[in-house]
Amino acid sequence: MEIFNSKLEEEKVFRDPIHRYVYVQDSVIKALIDSKEFQRLRRIKQLGTSSTTFHGAEHSRFNHSLGVYEITRRIIDEIFVGSDEWDNEERLLALCAGLLHDIGHGPFSHSFEKVFDLDHEDYSQKIIMGNTEVNSILQQVSADFPQKVASVIGKTYENKLVVSLISSQVDADRMDYLQRDAFYTGVSYGKFDMERMLRVIRPSKDGLLIKASGVHVVEDYIMSRYQMYLQIYFHPASSSNEVILTKIFDRVKELYRAHYAFETAPKHFMTIFEEKVTVHDYLTLDEAVCTFYFSQWQNESDEILSDLCKRFLNRNLFRYIEFADTDENRRIFEELKQLFHAVGINSEYYLSVNASSNVGYDEYMPSDKVRQPVSLLLADGRCEDLSMHSSIVATIMGKRAVFRYLYFPKELIKALPTSKEKDAIMQLLKLK
Amino acid sequence: MEIFNSKLEEEKVFRDPIHRYVYVQDSVIKALIDSKEFQRLRRIKQLGTSSTTFHGAEHSRFNHSLGVYEITRRIIDEIFVGSDEWDNEERLLALCAGLLHDIGHGPFSHSFEKVFDLDHEDYSQKIIMGNTEVNSILQQVSADFPQKVASVIGKTYENKLVVSLISSQVDADRMDYLQRDAFYTGVSYGKFDMERMLRVIRPSKDGLLIKASGVHVVEDYIMSRYQMYLQIYFHPASSSNEVILTKIFDRVKELYRAHYAFETAPKHFMTIFEEKVTVHDYLTLDEAVCTFYFSQWQNESDEILSDLCKRFLNRNLFRYIEFADTDENRRIFEELKQLFHAVGINSEYYLSVNASSNVGYDEYMPSDKVRQPVSLLLADGRCEDLSMHSSIVATIMGKRAVFRYLYFPKELIKALPTSKEKDAIMQLLKLK
Amino acid sequence: MEIFNSKLEEEKVFRDPIHRYVYVQDSVIKALIDSKEFQRLRRIKQLGTSSTTFHGAEHSRFNHSLGVYEITRRIIDEIFVGSDEWDNEERLLALCAGLLHDIGHGPFSHSFEKVFDLDHEDYSQKIIMGNTEVNSILQQVSADFPQKVASVIGKTYENKLVVSLISSQVDADRMDYLQRDAFYTGVSYGKFDMERMLRVIRPSKDGLLIKASGVHVVEDYIMSRYQMYLQIYFHPASSSNEVILTKIFDRVKELYRAHYAFETAPKHFMTIFEEKVTVHDYLTLDEAVCTFYFSQWQNESDEILSDLCKRFLNRNLFRYIEFADTDENRRIFEELKQLFHAVGINSEYYLSVNASSNVGYDEYMPSDKVRQPVSLLLADGRCEDLSMHSSIVATIMGKRAVFRYLYFPKELIKALPTSKEKDAIMQLLKLK
Amino acid sequence: MEIFNSKLEEEKVFRDPIHRYVYVQDSVIKALIDSKEFQRLRRIKQLGTSSTTFHGAEHSRFNHSLGVYEITRRIIDEIFVGSDEWDNEERLLALCAGLLHDIGHGPFSHSFEKVFDLDHEDYSQKIIMGNTEVNSILQQVSADFPQKVASVIGKTYENKLVVSLISSQVDADRMDYLQRDAFYTGVSYGKFDMERMLRVIRPSKDGLLIKASGVHVVEDYIMSRYQMYLQIYFHPASSSNEVILTKIFDRVKELYRAHYAFETAPKHFMTIFEEKVTVHDYLTLDEAVCTFYFSQWQNESDEILSDLCKRFLNRNLFRYIEFADTDENRRIFEELKQLFHAVGINSEYYLSVNASSNVGYDEYMPSDKVRQPVSLLLADGRCEDLSMHSSIVATIMGKRAVFRYLYFPKELIKALPTSKEKDAIMQLLKLK
């Protein structure tokens, strides 16, 4: 297999509903797409549990990763090439980093990472540096190429412009997922004028800049992002399914530690439980594998595990009420825990507060060391922060959107025999 | 749970990228959607192996089934209601049949059905009539309601108009999948003017009619279907992955019968191998379960099974050449079998002819007893076959599109040590 | 001709690129569309001079008026009908008002109105009340029907809900033009989710309300409007052409008053100049008539008139620089006037400040007596201003966007012989 | 003004609803767009009288011409450049020819040309070769450049590949108008996959070729064209308005020859009536000028002229019945003429047969010397006619679609006093 820097004999083209076509001209990119680690991304959904709320959005990270690659390629080949600020020797590096930026995602990314204290960016780097097909393909470019790709993804690569292509306020990652997730969910919010955006992007040694004349397209993009977080990514029904998923993993971990006699032992998760997971173990995990276990565990004798798995598979969600972080609510939560205990419902698994907040337009805070704000390139050559030129963005910038809900199993509660505890629970949860 | 014919207190709305919204007003429909048998359709892809060729098209049968329901609902509520030809007592029956028409699909439908000689329409009826949540929900409408729904899906229900809503040339099923599959694959072929189509549909006791003034929209629709079959459904790369899938099931069945000592025994498939599968067994099968097994079987000592599973999961396809059904090709096929044997490649699993033909615009043959041709309603009240009013359709009608390819593992062949058999194979398969 | 409240025998359908179809069921609506006053709207562009900047946007007020009618119809027939807050006796009145709301527009509306101190809403009412086909059609509904329609357009009709359908923050007029103008110009800004908007609109005796759950769709709509004003409606190149147009009318008026001997006398404008214009005179004016005159006046011996007409027809625009309303700029303006005089360029016609400001998201100021803010209908039945529930809207609400430019004929200036006045002009206007 | 082959300092970009952006890099192209002859195309509608049937489609030939330029540019810059078959020295020539191909269109092109026996392609060449701004701009490239551009438009230029870019089955002209007209009318028929089409186009010395793998996209395109002709271009209501327009011109010509005393003399048409029209005279004509005259002629004492002008402006169409070219119908036509005479209606102006046939998919006849069939480039390098590889196209190719209607003024007839002639007319025209 000769790869190196070579071009394919014939350009390879993938039909794509967002970009119409994804164009591949480099042997390395073709080989990476064909690698088993990249094909695994077909078995991990882009939106995790949101696909059960927005049934149109069943697309995978494979799908999205091709899109990020394509936007990166277009920015370089259509805008950067020929500019003094851009060294085209970095092209292949940027393309590989764009393609592989999500390679370390585990099944149902966020819940999984939270429960097991894993980080997908770590794993992206481990997969790129480990004994993998991806690594051996990248090695063929040069011995230090895998390390370079990993450092771009890790945001430590010295050329900030390359890093900014896949990690900045207006990077290829966000530009793809906003459009893609809007397309698949069927909402109109995520649409912004990417063709115009591409025309106002400029390279600089400190990262992507936006020409001042493009201020409105960026405003539109920032507003799209804001709307997508509010409407899609933070939707409380999706979070409900994520709560259930988290509780399944919690329960399995607890049962495993308690030496519970599983009918179907959690073989694929053991090294994770024992914190000795290898890259190879990690790569065996995908959503098909998890779903298989959930499907088996429906029949376990442990009622909690069985019930949670049924809920997840059959989308029998927890109900929710808004539940701001107040003293009063902290008191109510404690009271509910005791009442649940009294009526025999395990509050550890059936009463949960979930807050969505840290992601989203909040990322756009100047305090954020990593995600730099959008710099506008003014007519006179100076750069200034977008928020100084857009009162819309200035407003959003300072805000913190917190969505906080309390989740609980409505039908379990309603099925309880009459008691004063039941009445109290019903009242606190505003059930009728 | 009170269901019967009742309306929901508040209409339930699903965001849908094709129809913008799917509207549910009936308790029965809501309950069916929430049933575990219907939720299982989330784990079965609409296009099976085509999603590996058209990466945008990872949508499920759940997704499509909601769409069929919605089109059925719109035809009834916007067009039929109030017509003398339509009895609105049939509304709920038609809606349930539209929603459930694919409930019996197994994983990777076509390959799976072929290998194990199963039929998804049979299973749709068995699931509706069996001991299932779906059945118990339908029972609440009336004791004979499940039977009625099953007979609509089985096309034996006496009111042909109801049957034609989900099984005819311009039924809700086709109207949804053409648009949906075109949307998700990102091609423009499947688009036709459904709003116009809905306006020219008329009810009659023999089924749906199209007003003569709508002849061009139907032409456009028939041409869309023709193009979708040629470009998407019969794509040889998708078929390649389907060949591999079929061979996996063949191999597992053979190994099972030969009492091969599996590391991961095919538990979920045993009753199928032994032809004593129950509805309950059948419902445990979905694509997550199959994918889990494929993933495990990569590590089996049987090299053929292991290799095929790796191919399927990592999209390492068989190559193909066009291979018409001629005497010459039959001779070549026999010769290749012997040559494969000589070089140690099992032709049973590694040499395969696949023909796509029976589906598609071929369905539009008057000889087809079940799928009636499109009847145009003329201005004078008479009905005539569409093909008498459209030379375009008349042309397509008579044609049989046959796509026939020979599939083989190119890289295995190229890796063979030099020999005259290898040379002969390379020449016959036009490899360089 | 029997009209009254009667329904058409067969619904009349118009293909529309925004709404797909416009549906007409009422004889009155059909007759109004066919009236000569309404057909005249085909000869008045929706965006006036903007069509020379955005070449895709050559659509007429006829086109838009059908759209306003259709949105009004959908709100009534899909949302309001059956509600206690809505009296369906008002349906035809609202439809007629929606259809006719722009009937009084003159050619190139804004410039024309400004120069001649006319108001299109006045003329809408005069046309409806005058001796016109429109009036005689409306009379057939009832003797006081024309007066009612006029009062809805004049915002004095007692039922505020009817008025709010065509004159409020989220009325059918705005919903149509934002989508339509975005579609025709080819920008993505004007898109918002109208289907969702329709679902969250509620009738009340004080006008349209928005369900609180619809806050985000309204935010999106308000942002769309804001972007459309900034990007399209206030575009300085369109304003340049409008400045030229205004100057043509100014010049003709001046010449007429000075008894200039026109080769082509401004017959169609005389009663306007003399302020004795009748409804009938007014209706003879459209953009074809104006354009004919401009075309003739290219050959007048008056050089200013001839030059301005050539500029308008051949899109030879004035250049512009930003020109805020400051003391310094007022001084510069006076200086330029003197310099222009010195070099022989008439500053009355060739130096002009144009400010766009009063329209747009500014309309959304609570101080505005007529255009009420958007009221949200809360879950508990109370209503509150949108801005209390959306920090985005609250920000926009307080702002006043002022776009102020100084326009001048760059190539005339550059063609001047060298002189210190020319140098001074070039420097003040930043010309090189 | 330095033009020659120079590039603009900054690329000029036009927003376009079909192509998103039209990109201009060459000074010549910029200057041509700014020329008064090209700006005149803003005042000539692309679809003539069809805009009164499809109200969305009010776009001009200016709009379309920019689109043809842009597709030509993309084919050259994205596909042809670098190919051995393409000499990039021809680029500017092809772009100018694409941009100017419609420069000779008169107002309401087809009717106008028919009545006065003019040909827009002749005038395109005359304008390019005459004393015009366009000519003087082209001269600056080289002395023989205007002649070259004219010969490409006249299809006599020696390099057939250049000619085929704007005059062949799959040229930039057709590709633009199908998409553009579909977009503006709001129908879905005209959509085909232009991105895919561009990828399968190949240059050859004999003109554009299509790679055999692109057969289906061309089929889809041919079908789109077929549907657009049937549904849009041949729509009988548009033809009705065109009949009226033709009759206006006929009547004016007749009155002029009969020395009728016009209140508003047809000054702009006199040199045409006298067959001494110059390029300069021709260029003064546009749809605004014609519309002005029609508007004035509503008040002429000649009742026929006045009535026809009112009909045209107020869209008071002639009714129509299908009227095939049979002996029976020829007899009926003669009978109607006599009956019209008897009741005092001038059949010369009020009874008219209009056939649409020669344009459309009929163009695709091999007998057509100028419009060559589509050649497919086979894998082995040979070329074959598309119809040999597509039964769909083969079918369409042989057909001749004839739409033939008889037009008449229904309401005039119905308003006649009772008589046996009136009865006979009513019966022959199937009026009730």
Side-chain angles (χ1 to χ4, degrees), chain A residues 10-11 13 15 20-21 23 193-196 199 211, chain D residues 10-11 13 15 20-21 23 193-196 199 211:
Chain A
E10 194 172 8
E11 186 181 53
V13 179
R15 259 287 178 195
R20 306 190 67 124
Y21 294 102
Y23 298 96
D193 186 351
M194 191 177 78
E195 297 303 312
R196 174 95 181 121
R199 287 185 56 81
K211 275 177 68 181
Chain D
E10 195 173 6
E11 186 181 54
V13 180
R15 259 286 177 195
R20 306 190 67 125
Y21 293 102
Y23 298 95
D193 186 352
M194 192 178 78
E195 298 302 313
R196 174 96 181 122
R199 289 184 55 83
K211 276 176 66 180

Side-chain angles (χ1 to χ4, degrees), chain C residues 14 34 56 63-65 71 78 149-150 170 186 239 344 351 377 412:
Chain C
F14 297 80
D34 289 345
N63 193 318
H64 161 62
S65 296
I71 297 179
E78 297 177 15
V149 173
V170 290
S239 303
L351 191 67
L377 174 60
L412 277 195

Side-chain angles (χ1 to χ4, degrees), chain C residues 59-60 88 122 137 182 187 222 226 266 273 304 317 324 403:
Chain C
H59 55 301
S60 71
N88 217 36
D122 269 14
I137 293 160
V187 300
I222 299 268
Y226 163 76
F273 295 157
I304 291 175
L317 301 183
F403 287 72

Side-chain angles (χ1 to χ4, degrees), chain B residues 10-13 15 20-21 23 192-197 199 211, chain C residues 10-13 15 20-21 23 192-197 199 211:
Chain B
E10 193 172 11
E11 186 180 54
K12 170 95 184 146
V13 180
R15 258 287 177 195
R20 306 190 65 126
Y21 293 102
Y23 298 95
F192 64 93
D193 187 351
M194 191 178 78
E195 297 304 311
R196 174 95 182 123
M197 183 75 100
R199 288 185 56 82
K211 275 176 65 179
Chain C
E10 192 172 10
E11 185 181 55
K12 169 96 184 143
V13 180
R15 258 285 178 196
R20 306 191 66 125
Y21 294 101
Y23 299 95
F192 63 93
D193 186 352
M194 191 177 79
E195 297 305 310
R196 174 95 181 121
M197 183 75 101
R199 289 184 55 81
K211 274 176 67 180

Side-chain angles (χ1 to χ4, degrees), chain D residues 244 248 297-300 302-314 316 318 349-350 409 411-412:
Chain D
I244 293 169
I248 292 175
W297 292 336
Q298 290 182 100
N299 305 317
E300 293 288 341
D302 180 69
E303 281 180 21
I304 290 176
L305 180 59
S306 165
D307 177 67
L308 292 170
C309 288
K310 283 178 186 155
R311 286 179 179 277
F312 184 78
L313 291 173
N314 305 328
N316 183 7
F318 287 162
Y349 295 101
Y350 288 99
E411 78 302 328
L412 278 195

